[in-house]
Amino acid sequence: MTNLNTIISTFSSEEQQRFLIYLKKKNKRNDIKNVALFKLIAKNALSSDAIFTSLYNTSNKNAYHALRKRLYLSIIDFIANTNLEEENSIDMQIIKFILASRNFFLMKEAKVAYHILDKAETLATEHHLFAILNEIYSIKIQYAYTNPSVDMEQLILKYNSNQKKHYLEDQLNIVYAKIRQALNNISYKKEIVDFETLLNDTLKEHHINIHDSISFKSLYQLMHIVSISAFVTKDYLKIESFLMKTYAIIKLRKTNEKEVFYHIQVVYMIANALFRNKKFKQSKAHLEVMHNLMLANKKKHYNTFILKHDLLLALNLNYSNKQEEAISYLAPYLHAKHTDTETLLDIRLSLIMFYIQNENLTKAKQVFSKFYHTDKYYIEKAGIEWTIKKNLTEILLQVELGDIDIIESRLQSFKRQYNTYLKEINQERVTTYLSFVEKFYKQPEIITTDKFKNLVEDSFEWIPAKQEDIFGISFYAWLKSKMEKRALFETTLRLIEQAQFVN
């Protein structure tokens, strides 16, 4: 059965109203069950069986399935028509110019044809439409003999230059696809990949130099690839300068409607990198830019990005000692439904972290009860790293709650499932950390001794605090708070502050 609930959940209230108007105009009969079905699904208050019962007085579900199929097709038509009207208006206008110019060439009106093609070229250049520009330059070159004022050599130079840009964009699309596939193998299939070598080799293979002039979309893709590298290596300091310099190039360009989507993603990536580097004020400033872009074009991309925006804002607030405000941003999403499942999972895990730091264990346990799927499910939805983080968080929560039976069960399950993988990716420090957690819950009296503190000090291969991942610091803060008998959130903020001011 087509999951109409998921599709309809992506509609804003304004889009719902526009679709209902579209549907009512499309209906040729007095039968308005499709309208009723849409409204019931949009309310998200009834199960599929309950909706069926409210619409039909029969046990035969064939009519109901046919109704759902008709509604699905109507939604596809509506989305396609909307995109044709809004997103592709420039493309369609340029294509009309090209068709008109061809007609004037056939009518022996070369000057008129060239004048129209000049308009098409200007529009296509502004919107970095390299494929369409190829067509425009080909026509201009083909009919150059009809207009003595045309500079053939200049046209050929433009054509060759555009060909290079088009080729570069295509090659970068291929590189992007390969890197994304590699990330999928790392995060979702547990494969071990030397990511940095893969990135460099792939760029060289396709002759891509990051200093070349490329389109806004391609710049976004390149920045995304670099951000993936930081995600895998946990070293966001290495990429911050590149992201900021690349964005400085982007900001000089006029952003058209089609590029707003990529612009939002670029600003989000920068805000995320700044957050991971503990630069919360700068991160929040970029989130404000992101929010303003989300409001553009009648909030066209607002629903797509609001979860990511609010999650990152809440994380910045939390580590800026504004935890109550951070919780207020995320709590409303606890029961929300959205197509961005991965961010919804991140929001729930972040809320649990906030509540544990706040020592509100009852709330943390309530939120954790939402994670009722298997690890296999979470690996598929959010990746193995997220799933490991979830399991570590649960173990800490259970230690705080003092449920010995559950703690032992979770520890053994974690070791069985992830110790080999962590060793393969050189992340044995997670296993080491967990061994100290186990020592604490079994012998809590030893954790404040000098012997234990020295053991912790000698067991980790420490990296500079400024480079240390902010979530890694958060996990270590829990252990340190036990060793020092200090409040967890106070200890967390102190470690973050120390990392911010390390040279």
Side-chain angles (χ1 to χ4, degrees):
M1 184 181 288
T2 305
N3 194 347
L4 282 173
N5 301 60
T6 301
I7 298 171
I8 293 172
S9 70
T10 65
F11 280 30
S12 66
S13 56
E14 182 184 343
E15 287 170 332
Q16 287 182 22
Q17 292 304 314
R18 285 197 284 119
F19 176 69
L20 284 171
I21 293 169
Y22 168 83
L23 204 56
K24 288 172 183 176
K25 286 181 179 177
K26 186 179 178 183
N27 285 344
K28 296 179 180 179
R29 299 177 297 172
N30 293 327
D31 180 10
I32 56 170
K33 276 191 168 63
N34 54 1
V35 173
L37 176 60
F38 179 83
K39 288 180 177 179
L40 288 169
I41 293 175
K43 285 181 180 178
N44 194 29
L46 299 175
S47 67
S48 182
D49 286 339
I51 291 174
F52 165 69
T53 303
S54 69
L55 291 174
Y56 293 95
N57 296 319
T58 175
S59 60
N60 187 348
K61 287 193 174 183
N62 288 339
Y64 178 55
H65 291 311
L67 178 65
R68 287 180 65 92
K69 184 176 180 179
R70 290 199 305 274
L71 180 59
Y72 170 76
L73 293 174
S74 293
I75 289 174
I76 298 302
D77 286 342
F78 170 75
I79 293 172
N81 290 334
T82 301
N83 287 338
L84 282 172
E85 291 170 7
E86 296 177 3
E87 289 192 15
N88 296 329
S89 57
I90 298 298
D91 305 57
M92 295 303 294
Q93 184 61 58
I94 297 171
I95 290 169
K96 288 176 184 177
F97 282 152
I98 291 172
L99 292 173
S101 71
R102 286 187 179 280
N103 185 62
F104 281 111
F105 277 126
L106 292 174
M107 295 168 62
K108 311 297 184 184
E109 295 289 347
K111 286 187 178 181
V112 177
Y114 266 97
H115 179 70
I116 294 171
L117 284 176
D118 286 341
K119 288 185 176 182
E121 181 185 349
T122 300
L123 277 174
T125 302
E126 286 177 0
H127 292 79
H128 312 294
L129 302 174
F130 303 126
I132 295 178
L133 275 169
N134 271 348
E135 177 70 11
I136 292 168
Y137 291 136
S138 292
I139 296 171
K140 281 190 168 187
I141 291 170
Q142 179 185 352
Y143 289 99
Y145 72 92
T146 65
N147 190 346
S149 64
V150 170
D151 187 337
M152 175 70 88
E153 293 304 316
Q154 184 64 24
L155 264 180
I156 293 172
L157 284 174
K158 282 185 175 183
Y159 177 78
N160 289 336
S161 174
N162 183 70
Q163 283 275 58
K164 289 178 182 178
K165 290 177 182 178
H166 191 200
Y167 176 78
L168 183 61
E169 185 175 60
D170 283 345
Q171 291 303 300
L172 199 57
N173 282 336
I174 294 170
V175 171
Y176 178 77
K178 287 182 176 180
I179 299 300
R180 289 299 295 175
Q181 186 178 52
L183 178 64
N184 184 69
N185 292 338
I186 294 169
S187 295
Y188 299 95
K189 297 183 180 179
K190 302 186 184 181
E191 290 185 12
I192 312 304
V193 179
D194 183 345
F195 188 86
E196 290 190 32
T197 300
L198 173 68
L199 173 59
N200 292 329
D201 289 349
T202 309
L203 289 172
K204 286 179 183 177
E205 179 189 348
H206 294 273
H207 310 290
I208 292 176
N209 186 326
I210 62 172
H211 300 293
D212 286 338
S213 176
I214 51 182
S215 71
F216 195 105
K217 177 184 175 183
S218 296
L219 278 170
Y220 150 70
Q221 290 185 320
L222 184 55
M223 290 174 73
H224 198 178
I225 290 169
V226 173
S227 293
I228 292 169
S229 173
F231 171 79
V232 173
T233 62
K234 298 294 177 292
D235 191 349
Y236 283 84
L237 280 173
K238 280 185 179 179
I239 71 162
E240 183 184 316
S241 176
F242 171 80
L243 292 179
M244 299 298 282
K245 287 178 181 177
T246 306
Y247 185 55
I249 296 171
I250 292 173
K251 285 200 296 186
L252 296 175
R253 302 181 181 181
K254 182 181 178 182
T255 306
N256 60 57
E257 288 185 16
K258 288 190 70 174
E259 293 177 324
V260 171
F261 177 83
Y262 298 111
H263 196 164
I264 293 171
Q265 301 229 53
V266 163
V267 179
Y268 171 76
M269 282 188 288
I270 295 172
N272 184 57
L274 290 166
F275 162 72
R276 299 298 284 262
N277 291 336
K278 302 104 183 167
K279 298 180 180 179
F280 308 128
K281 187 175 180 180
Q282 290 171 262
S283 178
K284 285 188 284 187
H286 281 81
L287 284 173
E288 188 174 344
V289 174
M290 177 185 177
H291 193 262
N292 289 335
L293 288 167
M294 287 160 56
L295 294 173
N297 302 332
K298 298 180 180 179
K299 300 172 70 171
K300 181 177 181 180
H301 301 296
Y302 189 86
N303 282 352
T304 304
F305 293 104
I306 187 59
L307 263 64
K308 282 184 169 62
H309 173 275
D310 284 1
L311 171 60
L312 190 51
L313 179 57
L315 287 166
N316 274 290
L317 289 168
N318 183 67
Y319 289 103
S320 302
N321 198 17
K322 296 180 180 178
Q323 194 172 74
E324 292 302 321
E325 191 177 348
I327 290 172
S328 72
Y329 265 95
L330 299 190
Y333 293 115
L334 188 55
H335 303 288
K337 292 189 177 181
H338 197 279
T339 53
D340 191 354
T341 304
E342 191 168 349
T343 303
L344 276 177
L345 292 173
D346 276 337
I347 286 172
R348 288 173 182 171
L349 193 58
S350 296
L351 266 174
I352 294 166
M353 179 182 70
F354 295 169
Y355 286 133
I356 292 175
Q357 290 172 341
N358 192 247
E359 299 180 15
N360 191 339
L361 302 181
T362 302
K363 280 281 190 181
K365 188 177 180 181
Q366 286 174 358
V367 179
F368 209 95
S369 67
K370 303 293 180 184
F371 295 141
Y372 48 80
H373 292 286
T374 64
D375 275 13
K376 182 181 178 182
Y377 170 88
Y378 291 117
I379 290 172
E380 289 174 355
K381 295 295 181 182
I384 188 169
E385 178 181 302
W386 185 93
T387 308
I388 288 173
K389 197 185 298 182
K390 175 191 76 74
N391 283 302
L392 285 174
T393 303
E394 183 185 16
I395 290 169
L396 297 186
L397 176 58
Q398 295 301 338
V399 170
E400 292 285 8
L401 292 168
D403 197 329
I404 296 175
D405 291 337
I406 294 180
I407 296 168
E408 192 63 36
S409 171
R410 296 296 184 269
L411 278 168
Q412 295 309 316
S413 175
F414 186 93
K415 291 175 187 177
R416 186 170 58 254
Q417 291 188 69
Y418 301 112
N419 274 10
T420 302
Y421 171 75
L422 289 167
K423 186 176 181 180
E424 287 174 342
I425 64 170
N426 298 317
Q427 284 295 324
E428 292 98 329
R429 68 178 188 159
V430 176
T431 308
T432 303
Y433 172 82
L434 206 56
S435 71
F436 289 125
V437 174
E438 187 172 6
K439 282 184 172 67
F440 167 69
Y441 101 83
K442 288 182 176 178
Q443 296 176 280
E445 68 278 2
I446 70 167
I447 198 165
T448 56
T449 64
D450 289 339
K451 182 180 178 181
F452 185 87
K453 292 176 184 177
N454 291 334
L455 183 61
V456 170
E457 186 68 28
D458 295 338
S459 296
F460 291 106
E461 187 176 329
W462 300 94
I463 61 176
K466 192 172 183 180
Q467 185 181 333
E468 180 62 79
D469 179 64
I470 193 168
F471 297 118
I473 291 175
S474 299
F475 278 107
Y476 174 67
W478 183 88
L479 187 62
K480 192 168 182 65
S481 71
K482 302 301 180 187
M483 292 190 292
E484 297 181 348
K485 287 190 173 181
R486 290 175 179 265
L488 173 55
F489 194 47
E490 174 195 340
T491 304
T492 305
L493 294 180
R494 182 162 50 86
L495 290 175
I496 296 294
E497 187 175 354
Q498 289 172 359
Q500 287 174 317
F501 294 102
V502 171
N503 292 325

